Amino acid sequence: MARYRITISNDSGQAMADLVKVYQIQVLDHGSHRDKAMGLVVHAIVEETDIQRLRQAGYSVEQHEDVDATGKARQQEVGQGNRYENGRPR
């Protein structure tokens, strides 16, 4: 199942604490902040079912890229073989 990077926002500090306690969402520890327009904002990587559960519970969820597809695409950028062959980098 695909996983997505998301931004979650809500005005309630208790609701944001419930992300971990009730919904068992592993919030990313960087980038959390308070926004005047959006309230409290955090980021997470979740599956589609989690996105639906959070939206139904009243959270504002902005869905970003599929992290698995992005990771696979970036793996194709990695060079093959020994780049230090012949004593110097290629």
Side-chain angles (χ1 to χ4, degrees):
M1 184 174 293
R3 296 178 305 148
Y4 298 91
R5 182 177 62 87
I6 63 170
T7 301
I8 308 164
S9 59
N10 194 291
D11 289 328
S12 167
Q14 181 60 49
M16 297 307 269
D18 285 347
L19 287 172
V20 176
K21 294 177 186 176
V22 175
Y23 299 100
Q24 291 146 4
I25 301 297
Q26 290 193 332
V27 174
L28 300 176
D29 63 350
H30 64 281
S32 61
H33 63 280
R34 181 177 287 279
D35 182 273
K36 288 182 182 180
M38 298 171 60
L40 296 166
V41 179
V42 297
H43 305 280
I45 296 175
V46 299
E47 295 178 348
E48 183 71 35
T49 55
D50 295 318
I51 294 171
Q52 297 306 321
R53 284 188 320 141
L54 293 173
R55 286 183 174 152
Q56 289 173 352
Y59 292 90
S60 175
V61 178
E62 183 179 349
Q63 183 175 329
H64 304 291
E65 76 275 4
D66 176 337
V67 296
D68 295 321
T70 300
K72 287 179 184 178
R74 289 190 177 161
Q75 286 175 348
Q76 298 305 310
E77 298 170 6
V78 176
Q80 301 294 317
N82 181 355
R83 66 185 218 128
Y84 290 101
E85 189 174 32
N86 300 325
R88 62 175 190 240
R90 290 187 233 169

